Amino acid sequence: MATPPARRASVAAAALALLAAGCSGPAPSTAAPAPAATTPAATASVATATPVSPASAAAPAARSGLGARPSPAVRACTVFPADNVWHADVSRLPVHPRSAAMVNAIGSGAAVHADFGSGTWQGAPIGIPVTVVPAGQRRVPVAFTYADESDPGPYPVPANAAVEGGPDATGDRHVIVWDRAACRAYELFDARPAGGGWRAGSGAVFDLRSNRLRPAGWTSADASGLAILAGLVRYDEVAAGRVDHAIRVTVPRTRTGWTWPATHSASSATDPNLPQLGQRLRLKPSVDLSRLPRQARIVAEAMRRYGLIVADHGSAWYLSGTPDRRWDNDALHALGGLRGSDFEVVDASGLTVGRGSGAVR
């Protein structure tokens, strides 16, 4: 099977919206400079779409609500099981023997940047948007450039689904749809409306109750083949005082191949000092976090316990998260006091249960 060539860099500080909790149902398969200032805007954490009946399918679904909750009758679900690699505590894992070289390759002197926040940057909300749809959302066809590595449609993507960077964006144009009723995430890369459906570079469907990884060699909406949703920092987590998962991070270059739990390579470089997609890093335990503002400190604590997962190419040490009007941009910018030298690469191979599974020991 042909593997898509190295493509895209997550370099745009883009638009995103947060995800809410709760879903159930059957389980199928399978950057830019930091903004100097942002303008407060009514950016919702979660974009919700109302059901679209067959009779009204031509009308766009309305999106509204901040932190909309599922019906009490809907059984709650998390973004992947508790024993999934995204939720693994890596604070005690051994340091990778090439840690220093890989950190230098990423940029030991480069500053950490929260690529999410409140307000707008260059006219678009800051981050990766997530559109939450209800049970019964009408499914539409999606045509893929990399169809051989994409999960076929139709996908429940409303006509007005939020696009990373906004409707006129020229960057990665991720579209993330969370079907809470079915407990599945539908993720598109380079997504654009097309007729009554969408066209995209690639797409993936993730069963949020399963640890199953994508087939070896397959991409997703991310270069690594991983779920984007799982690695986003969400305001509701920080407000509750804890982020319980690894955080999606971009790096300028990777080497060919991939490191579990990634399933895809987007590089032909063979320099052993370069990290691979899927590489796990963590904030060193010696780094003092006491002076960080609360929002920044909670994110940093997650980077120390759960770490970072290299998911795509882009600016060094750019962290992915959801936009929300309640983010304190000044607090998030305080993460820029952390440098690449404050991190180390860990050897996560001892966590592996099986190469096709995201479950950990």
Side-chain angles (χ1 to χ4, degrees), residues 47-53 56-64 130-134 136-142 154-163 175-179 186 188 191-199:
T48 59
T50 55
V52 181
S53 66
S56 62
R63 290 190 289 111
S64 63
V130 175
T131 300
V132 176
V133 296
Q137 175 66 42
R138 180 175 178 266
R139 292 171 177 260
V140 298
V142 183
Y155 284 31
V157 182
N160 65 338
V163 179
V175 167
I176 312 296
V177 169
W178 187 12
D179 184 342
Y186 297 81
L188 303 175
R192 302 170 190 275
W198 291 75
R199 59 184 174 87

Side-chain angles (χ1 to χ4, degrees), residues 96 98-107 249-259 262 264-281 308-313 316-317 344-346:
H96 194 285
R98 290 201 304 276
S99 174
M102 283 193 271
V103 167
N104 283 336
I106 298 170
V249 69
T250 61
V251 301
R253 299 177 63 210
T254 60
R255 75 179 186 276
T256 189
W258 58 84
T259 295
H264 182 256
S265 173
S267 173
S268 60
T270 58
D271 183 352
N273 294 327
L274 291 171
Q276 288 184 318
L277 291 172
Q279 208 86 54
R280 193 71 164 253
L281 302 100
L308 307 171
I309 295 182
V310 176
D312 204 348
H313 296 147
W317 308 110
E344 56 197 2
V345 181
V346 299

Side-chain angles (χ1 to χ4, degrees), residues 48-147:
T48 59
T50 55
V52 181
S53 66
S56 62
R63 290 190 289 111
S64 63
L66 183 65
R69 301 298 178 189
S71 164
V74 176
R75 182 164 57 97
C77 81
T78 59
V79 179
F80 293 126
D83 65 343
N84 188 271
V85 62
W86 283 98
H87 299 290
D89 185 333
V90 299
S91 60
R92 296 179 182 273
L93 291 184
V95 177
H96 194 285
R98 290 201 304 276
S99 174
M102 283 193 271
V103 167
N104 283 336
I106 298 170
S108 59
V112 170
H113 175 65
D115 199 16
F116 56 94
S118 66
T120 60
W121 169 243
Q122 295 185 340
I126 312 166
I128 301 176
V130 175
T131 300
V132 176
V133 296
Q137 175 66 42
R138 180 175 178 266
R139 292 171 177 260
V140 298
V142 183
F144 295 109
T145 302
Y146 305 108

